[in-house]
Amino acid sequence: PSADGASIREVRLADGRAVGADNVVVASGAWMRELLPVPMQPIKGQMMALRPPAGSTSAQRLSRVLFGDGIYVVPKVDGRIIVGATVEPEAGFDRRVTPKGLAYLCGKLARVAPELTEYTVDETWAGLRPTTPDFLPVLGRASAQGMYENVYFAGGYWRNGMLLPPVASQLVVDQMAGTLSAEDAELLRHFSYDRFLAADGGSGGAVPVSTEAESFAAAAQAGPLASAREDLSLSEDVAFRSAAAAGVDGLDEMLARMSPAAASIPRLSSPSTSAAGAKETPAD
């Protein structure tokens, strides 16, 4: 892009076809940084699905979501139980299911619901959580110097990929259409790409904050997105830390819009469950 803000007029697909567009939304998850200089990293999570043993009755089955230290257990309407999830920042784009990952899940499961360890393992899989340095999403149009003027971002949902997109997509669409309210514009501002640029406003070009795997690993293991205020040491820039802390408040508002009753979800307490761990949501 040029300094005065160039536009993208078409997107060329892998098969060579060109698709024209007035606006472009970059929503490529953990692969976003392959298209634009966005500090986005995949954080792997392994999960498994269990089925009750033959002969068990519905009265004997789990009927509510459980939260424990580094684990959540979610019953589904088809009778399966979803157990998740590991947090593996060092894995990159590796989506293999490993004995180590399953051992972690089984060990945690034995502590919060030991009777479920007798269930049948029905399926295992691994996903990649698109994650930014401050664990907040990247949404809306970037206004920074040198950025494409018709490009919008929608991604970086960390462990809230099932909760945030409905609200986030509406905010982005309203911004594109020019119908964004003043309240929503302020909310969207917290998640702008511009927060990752140098404090000089980008005059020297876009300078994303550090995305080294070690920094992600330390912060990711310290706690989920709800504890992001404590994880903001990822950046030494005071302005960035301040903006990110405000962004956590904005995220709380987005979650509240999606699920006003989220705060009342029953959570399983255990002696080793931290305040951060108790606020995790089964959104991987």
Side-chain angles (χ1 to χ4, degrees):
S2 63
D4 59 352
S7 298
I8 293 178
R9 295 307 176 194
E10 66 178 28
V11 175
R12 193 167 298 278
L13 306 181
D15 61 7
R17 289 181 298 152
V19 179
D22 293 328
N23 295 296
V24 176
V25 179
V26 180
S28 50
W31 292 264
M32 189 178 290
R33 67 186 303 169
E34 295 185 2
L35 296 175
L36 291 169
V38 182
M40 189 78 69
Q41 174 164 319
I43 295 186
K44 178 181 177 180
Q46 298 186 51
M47 303 180 70
M48 63 181 178
L50 309 176
R51 280 201 179 277
S56 63
T57 65
S58 58
Q60 298 171 313
R61 297 175 186 173
L62 185 67
S63 60
R64 69 173 191 174
V65 176
L66 300 179
F67 294 81
D69 178 23
I71 189 174
Y72 53 79
V73 184
V74 184
K76 295 294 185 179
V77 294
D78 64 357
R80 297 200 306 167
I81 304 292
I82 306 301
V83 181
T86 64
V87 179
E88 305 173 56
E90 71 287 347
F93 290 93
D94 178 10
R95 297 185 64 179
R96 294 176 303 122
V97 175
T98 64
K100 181 180 178 180
L102 295 181
Y104 170 89
L105 295 176
C106 291
K108 294 292 186 179
L109 182 64
R111 296 190 63 182
V112 300
E115 64 278 9
L116 297 184
T117 60
E118 297 295 328
Y119 279 34
T120 300
V121 177
D122 186 62
E123 183 182 3
T124 61
W125 68 96
L128 302 176
R129 309 175 184 91
T131 310
T132 65
D134 58 8
F135 295 89
L136 300 175
V138 183
L139 302 174
R141 187 174 73 88
S143 60
Q145 180 182 13
M147 180 54 67
Y148 295 106
E149 63 182 16
N150 65 335
V151 169
Y152 297 77
F153 295 98
Y157 301 115
W158 174 221
R159 302 189 77 167
N160 290 282
M162 295 293 290
L163 299 175
L164 293 182
V167 175
S169 60
Q170 187 61 60
L171 291 171
V172 174
V173 168
D174 288 348
Q175 187 182 44
M176 284 192 294
T179 58
L180 198 66
S181 68
E183 178 184 4
D184 285 350
E186 177 61 22
L187 177 61
L188 199 58
R189 185 183 63 81
H190 293 307
F191 310 111
S192 171
Y193 167 85
D194 298 350
R195 73 185 189 271
F196 297 119
L197 303 182
D200 63 0
S203 59
V207 185
V209 297
S210 174
T211 59
E212 285 83 357
E214 311 86 66
S215 297
F216 273 98
Q221 296 294 349
L225 188 148
S227 66
R229 288 184 181 87
E230 286 71 41
D231 297 332
L232 297 181
S233 57
L234 279 169
S235 170
E236 295 181 358
D237 181 80
V238 175
F240 175 77
R241 292 203 308 271
S242 176
V248 175
D249 295 331
L251 181 73
D252 289 342
E253 180 177 339
M254 289 181 67
L255 289 171
R257 290 190 189 188
M258 190 61 206
S259 179
S264 64
I265 295 177
R267 303 181 189 279
L268 181 68
S269 298
S270 69
S272 59
T273 300
S274 65
K279 295 188 72 175
E280 289 185 7
T281 53
D284 288 300

